[in-house]
Amino acid sequence: QVQLVESGGGLVQPGGSLRLSCAASGFTLDYYAIGWFRQAPGKKREGVSCISFSDGTTYYKDALKGRFTISKDSAKNTVYLQMNSLKPEDTAVYYCAADYRGTCSSWLFIYEYDYWGQGTQVTVSS
């Protein structure tokens, strides 16, 4: 069965770090772009980052550059999102999504993605 599963979320204090994983099963990510999105309660879903498996090109929400890093492990068919210096405003449900033959050139457009994970909760609080 085709699945995209996020993991690694949890409760962390401000200034802490988390690494989220997005693991694909039933298909290979080699032909996809993978986007990370987040949605806080009462807020719109927003793009966080994107990586293209075809060439490794990465993109970030401007405000997150320097704190968040996206990476891939093709052998594990997995994408990671390393989040450092976390702030309370980073609290949200984080989702990953796969765009078939995507290159991240239009990564902010949610309708382009073919598969979505169930989301993982990240809570930043003292």
Side-chain angles (χ1 to χ4, degrees):
Q1 182 175 36
V2 173
Q3 285 190 318
L4 204 60
V5 179
E6 305 95 334
S7 62
L11 176 64
V12 64
Q13 294 186 355
S17 298
L18 286 173
R19 188 178 75 159
L20 306 183
S21 298
C22 175
S25 61
F27 71 106
T28 177
L29 293 176
D30 291 351
Y31 308 106
Y32 291 80
I34 303 298
W36 281 100
F37 298 83
R38 67 185 185 183
Q39 187 165 22
K43 303 293 184 180
K44 299 177 181 178
R45 187 171 299 185
E46 64 175 355
V48 173
S49 187
C50 185
I51 186 167
S52 172
F53 267 67
S54 63
D55 59 12
T57 303
T58 60
Y59 297 83
Y60 298 91
K61 176 180 171 67
D62 286 344
L64 301 179
K65 291 179 180 178
R67 293 199 298 119
F68 287 19
T69 303
I70 191 169
S71 62
K72 65 182 179 70
D73 187 334
S74 296
K76 295 182 178 180
N77 212 28
T78 299
V79 170
Y80 303 97
L81 183 68
Q82 179 67 45
M83 306 186 295
N84 299 324
S85 301
L86 285 164
K87 305 174 181 179
E89 52 262 44
D90 295 319
T91 296
V93 177
Y94 284 70
Y95 301 89
C96 65
D99 177 14
Y100 181 58
R101 296 194 177 187
T103 61
C104 296
S105 61
S106 56
W107 70 280
L108 293 174
F109 292 90
I110 293 175
Y111 63 82
E112 292 194 356
Y113 293 88
D114 302 287
Y115 304 107
W116 287 84
Q118 83 291 346
T120 185
Q121 177 71 49
V122 172
T123 302
V124 185
S125 177
S126 60

